[in-house]
Amino acid sequence: GFDASVTLRNLTTGAGPVPGSSLSRVATLAALQGHSVEVRASGPQAGDVVQTVLALADRRFDEAPEQETGPEVPASSAPGPLPASPGIAIGPARRLTRPVSGVADGGRPLPAEQEWQRLEVAIATARRDLEALRTAAVRDLGAAEAGIFDAHLELLGDSELLDDARRAIAAGSPAGQAWRQAIRSVETAWAALPDSYLRGRAADVRAVGDDVLLALTGGSAATLLEPGILVATDLTPAQAAGLDLALVTGIALAQGSASSHAAILARARGIPAVVGAGPELLRTAEGTPLALNGTTGELVVDPGREVLARYRSAADRHAAVHARDLTEAGEPAVTRDGVHIEVGANIGSAADARAAAAAGADNAGLVRTEFLFLGRDRPPTVAEQETEYAAIAGALGGRRITLRTLDVGGDKPLPYVPAPVEANPFLGLRGIRLALQEKNLLAEQLQAICRAARRTPVDVMFPMVSQVQELLDAVEVLREAAGPDDLPPRLRVGIMVEVPATALNVAAFLPHLDFLSIGTNDLTQYALAAERGNPHVAGIYDVLDPGVLRLVGETCTGAAGSVPVGVCGESAADPVALPILLGLGVRHVSVAPAAVPQVKAQVRTLDLAECRALAERALAAGDSLGVRRLVAGADRRT
């Protein structure tokens, strides 16, 4: 954004100088905490850009203390494997194959300008595909989790990388060869860096390079060539979303957590999975027999005849149970002692709503509306939003839909909303905080929600609420958006309970609410100071930690029966967590559409008096492992 040219040099290591405008070159400085970096600028705004960099340094480069580089923790430190997506899978180990490395350009190269044009078109195609994947990830996972695509998009516009490719083309190389050379140079440089995190990012460079080669040569994306259990270090959202269900019978990942991108999508797609199995998994030879249980976290490499027979028997039982659950999914979920538990679905589009209806969902317990706002250069109109909300309601046959207002923030800003650079975006301007700052955006969304609510039952839910005044301000905007006719009679107002302080102070919010929905993903993250997608703390991040469970219990106790309390986090689909959540007072859960039949079936096996007793013992446990052992023991007694 400045009319200046900037170079950087790492004075501590001697690396550089490199152009400050190139992500691929800046990374090679390997500048770590404590290093001295020289900044030079020339041009009309040289002074301005140097002062801006100094200000960035004064802000600790927008890193929070928790994010600073500390002692390296091996990915295998998590007590894995961990259960990630329920179900039984048996089959040979298979790895993703990306059939592009051997693709030749074919024939003599075209004139240099035409070869460059071919590469430009391929880069533009790869960019469009990545932007579409990012939008889909926002819809399915949320804005924060979609961030993996941002660095990829940045690399596609890296001036130094593009200049290297263009020089190779000018020297007579065809476009594909020139691009491979440029990518390989960056990947090799990153892979040689001393910092383990930066070394790991070499895989991102390779992924971006392959995306362009696919567009350039018409090759295929990485895929399984034969049926079996996918073995990998980890999966990006794009890879998990694109898996062929006819080939992938299960997933076993060396890294990751039960709340990672891959795990969430595996559950949404009904693929049994375990994560955090450790690096030794990657030494498993292609075709080695595997057996896994995504419900318990068991993974057996090269199982013997007896073990294999046990897993096959369990798989047959699981298939029969799933078929029965699906047949009965349209029926209400009523506990053995006669209490009805609503089982809704978490969705992000009308297509998701149709899948939820087919799976027997009672309603849409969470509609992630941000998918309408991201991946575009201007906000959706009121009419566009109303149309989409009506389509979701129509797909669910008029069942109640819970529309969460725009949930983005400093970690993933909207291109049309100015946002400050923040040291820790997860604790910054996000959710209702950003919405109240951008009241025009919020008012238009609430206007569309009110219009939809005049035709179908609608819940409006405000995210990341931590203060009563935030709720009052949001309700004021809602009433103004409703117009002179006042709020639609079938519109209910609620908040997400994601902040520990809100859970502990829930009684103060009750006079202004019709319902509460606990977002266990963020509540767990904030309560345990463990980022949900970080493999190094996968063993810490667990909704079954007694401290997190106590926050859920405090929310239900604080509600005191005056408003219903639900859970719309991934934990509601965990068969170990569900009886405890119900025992703590939760009466509505919302899960991925594929999990609805299983959750409804489990509810029908439970007795709330037993669940309450189990929850009391869970709160007294020392840690999440103790809670899981407690539930396992209760299951055996049952």
Side-chain angles (χ1 to χ4, degrees):
F2 290 91
D3 186 6
S5 177
V6 182
T7 59
L8 305 174
R9 189 159 63 97
N10 189 332
L11 298 180
T12 303
T13 65
V18 300
S21 60
S22 169
L23 173 64
S24 65
R25 299 300 189 266
V26 170
T28 62
L29 291 179
L32 304 178
Q33 184 179 21
H35 286 189
S36 296
V37 178
E38 176 190 82
V39 183
R40 288 179 174 267
S42 60
Q45 292 184 292
D48 293 339
V49 77
V50 169
Q51 290 303 316
T52 299
V53 174
L54 290 175
L56 179 65
D58 286 341
R59 301 199 307 271
R60 305 171 63 89
F61 295 93
D62 291 330
E63 286 190 358
E66 298 93 325
Q67 297 171 317
E68 291 174 357
T69 301
E72 291 190 11
V73 181
S76 59
S77 62
L82 302 170
S85 181
I88 306 291
I90 304 167
R94 301 297 185 197
R95 287 177 171 79
L96 291 174
T97 300
R98 188 183 291 274
V100 296
S101 58
V103 175
D105 288 279
R108 299 176 60 181
L110 300 170
E113 195 56 38
Q114 293 183 39
E115 289 289 345
W116 174 248
Q117 289 174 358
R118 289 181 61 223
L119 183 56
E120 282 188 311
V121 170
I123 291 172
T125 300
R127 178 177 293 279
R128 285 195 301 271
D129 291 345
L130 279 172
E131 287 172 344
L133 287 170
R134 187 188 187 286
T135 300
V138 167
R139 180 195 68 207
D140 296 333
L141 303 171
E145 289 80 358
I148 187 171
F149 298 112
D150 290 340
H152 291 199
L153 290 166
E154 188 79 17
L155 281 168
L156 283 178
D158 190 294
S159 58
E160 293 295 309
L161 180 62
L162 297 178
D163 286 347
D164 285 351
R166 185 157 198 167
R167 281 192 290 269
I169 289 174
S173 294
Q177 181 180 328
W179 178 251
R180 278 193 291 270
Q181 289 173 347
I183 284 289
R184 190 177 298 118
S185 175
V186 175
E187 182 186 351
T188 301
W190 285 26
L193 293 172
D195 182 65
S196 62
Y197 177 81
L198 290 173
R199 287 199 306 271
R201 302 284 64 74
D204 291 294
V205 177
R206 184 167 57 253
V208 169
D210 286 350
D211 288 340
V212 174
L213 287 175
L214 291 174
L216 187 66
T217 64
S220 302
T223 184
L224 257 64
L225 301 182
E226 297 181 84
I229 295 175
L230 171 60
V231 172
T233 303
D234 205 347
L235 294 176
T236 67
Q239 290 171 323
L243 294 176
D244 185 346
L245 297 182
L247 294 175
V248 181
T249 58
I251 298 172
L253 299 181
Q255 297 181 8
S257 73
S259 295
S260 67
H261 311 120
I264 291 174
L265 280 173
R267 286 193 292 273
R269 305 190 69 199
I271 306 173
V274 297
V275 298
E280 61 276 5
L281 172 66
L282 302 178
R283 292 191 284 271
T284 304
E286 181 83 4
T288 301
L290 299 177
L292 68 83
N293 186 327
T295 304
T296 64
E298 294 175 277
L299 174 64
V300 182
V301 178
D302 200 10
R305 184 176 301 175
E306 291 184 4
V307 173
L308 201 56
R310 175 166 59 87
Y311 268 84
R312 283 176 176 155
S313 177
D316 290 342
R317 291 196 304 271
H318 182 271
V321 167
H322 178 71
R324 183 200 65 200
D325 292 347
L326 191 58
T327 300
E328 300 174 352
E331 300 299 319
V334 180
T335 63
R336 296 197 331 257
D337 49 343
V339 178
H340 178 230
I341 305 296
E342 290 189 4
V343 180
N346 300 332
I347 64 176
S349 66
D352 289 348
R354 287 190 289 273
D362 296 326
N363 48 52
L366 169 63
V367 179
R368 301 182 179 97
T369 64
E370 49 269 15
F371 78 94
L372 283 167
F373 291 80
L374 289 141
R376 52 194 300 163
D377 56 9
R378 61 178 60 87
T381 65
V382 173
E384 286 177 310
Q385 295 182 62
E386 181 188 1
T387 298
E388 189 66 31
Y389 302 153
I392 289 172
L396 280 163
R399 300 177 182 91
R400 183 170 288 276
I401 61 174
T402 301
L403 299 171
R404 182 179 66 188
T405 57
L406 183 61
D407 189 15
V408 295
D411 56 325
K412 290 294 168 291
L414 296 169
Y416 42 84
V417 174
V421 177
E422 298 180 290
N424 192 335
F426 289 104
L427 301 180
L429 196 64
R430 57 174 298 203
I432 193 63
R433 302 168 183 177
L434 177 66
L436 289 174
Q437 179 171 293
E438 300 295 329
K439 283 191 177 179
N440 288 339
L441 205 62
L442 176 61
E444 289 188 351
Q445 181 173 32
L446 293 176
Q447 186 178 350
I449 289 174
C450 286
R451 289 183 182 179
R454 299 196 190 281
R455 294 186 289 177
T456 191
V458 170
D459 286 347
V460 59
M461 184 163 65
F462 298 110
M464 195 67 181
V465 175
S466 58
Q467 297 180 330
V468 173
Q469 191 58 50
E470 291 172 333
L471 173 59
L472 295 177
D473 292 344
V475 171
E476 181 181 351
V477 179
L478 175 63
R479 292 191 179 280
E480 292 173 357
D485 295 334
D486 203 8
L487 296 180
R490 292 188 290 178
L491 179 68
R492 301 193 309 180
V493 177
I495 63 170
M496 294 276 287
V497 180
E498 303 166 281
V499 180
T502 305
L504 297 173
N505 190 38
V506 74
F509 294 87
L510 295 181
H512 318 289
L513 292 174
D514 299 307
F515 70 94
L516 294 163
S517 186
I518 303 173
T520 50
N521 295 344
D522 270 335
L523 185 64
T524 303
Q525 176 172 253
Y526 290 137
L528 297 176
E531 196 269 316
R532 57 188 286 194
N534 188 333
H536 300 311
V537 294
I540 299 174
Y541 179 99
D542 195 333
V543 70
L544 289 177
D545 182 275
V548 178
L549 294 177
R550 194 168 295 280
L551 290 171
V552 174
E554 290 288 342
T555 303
C556 296
T557 301
S562 57
V563 301
V565 178
V567 164
C568 61
E570 291 295 320
S571 62
D574 183 345
V576 178
L578 182 61
I580 296 177
L581 294 175
L582 300 187
L584 292 171
V586 172
R587 293 296 177 265
H588 175 276
V589 296
S590 189
V591 298
V596 169
Q598 162 230 314
V599 172
K600 280 192 162 187
Q602 185 180 4
V603 167
R604 299 185 190 110
T605 69
L606 299 174
D607 178 281
L608 283 189
E610 295 174 358
C611 290
R612 282 190 287 269
L614 181 64
E616 288 179 8
R617 295 198 299 273
L619 293 177
D623 53 27
S624 59
L625 183 59
V627 174
R628 292 188 181 277
R629 287 172 175 164
L630 179 68
V631 176
D635 286 345
R636 283 195 295 270
R637 287 192 298 273
T638 302

